[in-house]
Amino acid sequence: MSDYNFAYLDEQTKRMIRRAILKGLAIPGYQVPFASREMPMPYGWGTGGVQVSAATLTPDDTLKVIDQGADDTTNAVSIRKFFERTANVGTTEETSKASVIQTRHRIPEEDLREDQILVYQVPIPEPLRFLEPSEVETRKMHSLEEYGLMHVKLYEDIAQHGAIATSYAYPVKVEGRYVMDPSPIPKFDNPKMEMAAIQLFGAGREQRIYALPPYTQVVSLDFEDYPFEASKAEHACDLCAAEDSYLDEVIMDDAGGRMFVCSDTDYCASRRKAGHVGAQGTNLEEDAA
Amino acid sequence: MTTPLLEVRDIAKFYGHRIGCDKVDFDLYPGEVMGIVGESGSGKSTLLNCLAGHLTPDAGQVRFEMRTGEMADTVTMSEPERRMLSRTDWAFVHQHARDGLRMNVSAGGNVGERLMAVGARHYGNIREEAIDWLGRVEISETRVDDRPTAFSGGMQQRLQIARNLVTGPRLVFMDEPTGGLDVSVQARLLDLLRGLVREMGLSAIIVTHDLAVVRLLADRLMVMKDGHVVESGLTDQVLDDPQHAYTQLLVSSVLQV
């Protein structure tokens, strides 16, 4: 056991964060300010998500941490270790066995259940930020529901690229009221946000928490003649042959060699275990033999 | 007998002990262009900002005829209502185009912003309208995707005008619309403005220190000094037969080339 309080943060801080989470759940999509603490990791590494996870975890929880869909990248490994040491909770890489999932930039491929919580790490919670630099003004725009500016961004995309080129952090409207930044998830994941699990968003440096209760209506913004499209690379996974998952493109050599693999490592591994083999994959059991 | 579009009653704005503007009182009728002239610091911009809802006056009323026909006090109305007015029925042309434009958004996006703000969600229609408006302010269609940073000062000012007029406002506030432009560009801009005002039947309030601008555009004139209106009347009457000593000074100060 460690000398830290359970899950690193002191109880008063966790209560403060829980209040912000409850307020966020009561007003889906609204950015609730909270007194973000300094965490033992730099801003940009998920300080917001970690604080939300710390306030959410109980000793019986099982934690999964993913970074760009993967369980084995630096960010994911260090946050998982952090909670193993400070909260002594069980951890897993399997989506279905986790009760709390902290994520950076992806939603797991497997459908989440009502007894699960998905915690997002958010770098910039304000969807209007790059068009309107003033925080005072953006808050007023949210409160008066003046969201025309968000479409100016999409207009610019079409004018410059012939299509809506925003491919991640694609703005959504929540329950017909607040426009929300879904954190930098690919727009492929946007339709998945109407899910059974609770979704919590934490931005540490910007000191904001927002939330989506289960089954909240989440609509991606678009134009009538340029409707929203959840795009992905037009390939099947080269390891597990999945055609419905979001893919990473991996450069293999300097002669144009590349392969497409699932960004969700757990999804890919479980498919391979079940015997699916992609174009460049090998059978797992033969590997072992 | 027509009713006024805008009724201004005893507007006053103080900055501590200093007077911004005091006891300003006038009516503006539909289709009328009112000029406000005066030297720097005479309170004309303060007055304009009070009328346009950018500043809250310390006393007085500003009543505007809504599309429903009723007169609404824009000082006491709720902020959402006022902001709605300022992107539908009102337009504000700033002296510096940079204050009124989004410099990192293309010309088409700048013109389209007001359309999208009132609910337009069809890209093709928005773009068509934007191109139409660029044409009306003499900006070539080929520049529609360029950013205002790539435009000359005169073009930026014309773009700002297009962006403001696209939703068909009924009242336009202009703060020194020709300030900082060279004379030939000024002349073209004035010509354009005069055409648009007549063609759309716009009512406008123009603040300027340039008497030539009001001579060309304004039907009526108010002369301000130290926050007070010292003289008002028909433009030609005030300029050709100034009564107040300050107006006489102002008229005689214009350089004759």
Side-chain angles (χ1 to χ4, degrees), chain A:
Chain A
M1 207 34 215
S2 71
D3 294 329
Y4 290 113
N5 186 39
F6 176 73
Y8 184 77
L9 291 173
D10 61 278
E11 292 304 312
Q12 286 304 319
T13 300
K14 286 197 272 185
R15 285 184 59 183
M16 176 268 293
I17 294 173
R18 284 173 196 146
R19 279 198 294 270
I21 292 173
L22 289 175
K23 183 170 179 182
L25 284 166
I27 320 171
Y30 173 72
Q31 298 168 44
V32 185
F34 79 111
S36 177
R37 298 291 190 252
E38 204 156 305
M39 298 301 284
M41 61 189 73
Y43 289 128
W45 282 62
T47 51
V50 164
Q51 289 178 78
V52 171
S53 294
T56 311
L57 282 174
T58 67
D60 304 328
D61 271 320
T62 310
L63 180 72
K64 171 183 162 83
V65 185
I66 51 176
D67 170 9
Q68 306 270 14
D71 289 277
D72 52 5
T73 48
T74 322
N75 201 195
V77 170
S78 32
I79 291 174
R80 192 161 57 230
K81 275 201 182 144
F82 174 76
F83 281 118
E84 277 171 4
R85 279 180 58 190
T86 61
N88 205 19
V89 290
T91 55
T92 180
E93 294 194 0
E94 283 175 60
T95 305
S96 57
K97 286 189 180 157
S99 54
V100 176
I101 303 173
Q102 181 171 335
T103 177
R104 173 173 177 266
H105 305 186
R106 264 325 297 282
I107 296 175
E109 301 293 351
E110 198 178 316
D111 284 341
L112 299 183
R113 301 183 310 266
E114 286 184 6
D115 60 346
Q116 292 178 308
I117 298 176
L118 186 59
V119 178
Y120 294 79
Q121 303 172 194
V122 183
I124 295 165
E126 180 51 73
L128 302 161
R129 174 61 65 239
F130 291 109
L131 295 151
E132 178 51 64
S134 157
E135 174 75 17
V136 173
E137 184 63 21
T138 53
R139 277 202 220 182
K140 196 166 275 176
M141 290 161 86
H142 280 295
S143 62
L144 300 180
E145 246 182 295
E146 285 180 8
Y147 291 130
L149 198 53
M150 207 67 250
H151 274 85
V152 173
K153 179 179 181 318
L154 302 179
Y155 172 95
E156 287 292 288
D157 260 10
I158 303 174
Q160 283 174 26
H161 306 285
I164 297 179
T166 304
S167 55
Y168 65 95
Y170 192 101
V172 294
K173 194 161 204 178
V174 178
E175 285 289 333
R177 178 60 182 86
Y178 284 98
V179 165
M180 186 188 94
D181 180 281
S183 89
I185 59 171
K187 65 178 170 185
F188 174 80
D189 283 343
N190 272 21
K192 290 194 217 160
M193 296 184 86
E194 290 186 5
M195 63 162 73
I198 293 175
Q199 297 170 77
L200 306 175
F201 300 77
R205 183 187 50 210
E206 304 284 325
Q207 314 201 319
R208 293 289 183 277
I209 284 174
Y210 49 104
L212 295 174
Y215 309 110
T216 303
Q217 184 200 47
V218 180
V219 180
S220 305
L221 300 179
D222 59 3
F223 284 105
E224 286 157 18
D225 44 348
Y226 285 85
F228 170 79
E229 227 176 307
S231 59
K232 66 181 273 277
E234 291 198 1
H235 274 271
C237 172
D238 282 329
L239 291 178
C240 76
E243 289 179 357
D244 56 351
S245 73
Y246 191 74
L247 302 174
D248 285 340
E249 184 177 359
V250 185
I251 308 286
M252 303 301 286
D253 49 40
D254 59 0
R258 62 191 58 201
M259 70 190 286
F260 289 89
V261 292
C262 292
S263 96
D264 186 336
T265 50
D266 170 56
Y267 183 74
C268 198
S270 61
R271 276 182 58 90
R272 293 178 73 195
K273 230 175 264 170
H276 298 277
V277 183
Q280 297 182 49
T282 50
N283 195 305
L284 276 186
E285 277 154 35
E286 285 172 19
D287 276 358

Side-chain angles (χ1 to χ4, degrees), chain B residues 9-224:
Chain B
R9 292 288 171 270
D10 287 328
I11 281 292
K13 174 76 187 172
F14 300 98
Y15 300 107
H17 293 297
R18 280 174 292 126
I19 297 172
C21 59
D22 195 15
K23 298 198 190 77
V24 180
D25 207 282
F26 69 93
D27 287 340
L28 184 76
Y29 286 87
E32 194 179 29
V33 178
M34 163 80 86
I36 302 174
V37 293
E39 61 193 2
S40 299
S42 59
K44 49 193 194 319
S45 292
T46 299
L47 174 62
L48 193 74
N49 283 322
C50 284
L51 299 180
H54 298 173
L55 286 174
T56 312
D58 294 320
Q61 291 176 315
V62 181
R63 283 199 296 273
F64 178 73
E65 190 196 38
M66 310 292 276
R67 287 189 190 213
T68 55
E70 56 170 325
M71 299 297 283
D73 190 333
T74 64
V75 178
T76 53
M77 74 168 45
S78 70
E79 189 170 17
E81 278 183 288
R82 191 162 50 235
R83 284 173 72 113
M84 189 64 185
L85 261 189
S86 65
R87 56 177 194 267
T88 52
D89 274 356
W90 290 356
F92 197 102
V93 178
H94 293 262
Q95 174 177 6
H96 301 291
R98 287 173 174 271
D99 298 337
L101 292 172
R102 288 190 191 278
M103 299 306 282
N104 52 0
V105 167
S106 71
N110 264 295
V111 179
E113 181 181 343
R114 268 172 87 108
L115 294 171
M116 292 182 250
V118 294
R121 292 291 179 266
H122 189 285
Y123 174 82
N125 296 351
I126 293 168
R127 192 170 170 85
E128 207 171 288
E129 186 109 349
I131 289 172
D132 176 50
W133 265 99
L134 290 181
R136 289 164 83 164
V137 297
E138 297 165 18
I139 295 174
S140 153
E141 186 183 331
T142 54
R143 304 298 302 269
V144 65
D145 291 331
D146 291 348
R147 292 184 174 189
T149 39
F151 285 9
S152 69
M155 280 173 82
Q156 287 181 1
Q157 198 58 284
R158 278 180 278 142
L159 178 61
Q160 194 195 178
I161 288 164
R163 166 186 159 90
N164 271 291
L165 297 188
V166 65
T167 47
R170 294 187 295 147
L171 176 58
V172 186
F173 301 99
M174 297 192 221
D175 191 1
E176 308 265 12
T178 57
L181 301 176
D182 62 57
V183 283
S184 60
V185 175
Q186 261 189 36
R188 265 179 76 198
L189 187 74
L190 285 173
D191 204 37
L192 178 81
L193 272 177
R194 194 159 58 159
L196 288 172
V197 164
R198 296 284 177 266
E199 180 189 327
M200 298 175 71
L202 291 176
S203 307
I205 298 177
I206 299 179
V207 160
T208 182
H209 57 249
D210 189 340
L211 295 181
V213 170
V214 287
R215 174 79 89 171
L216 271 172
L217 283 176
D219 303 312
R220 279 200 300 148
L221 197 58
M222 288 201 311
V223 183
M224 289 190 75

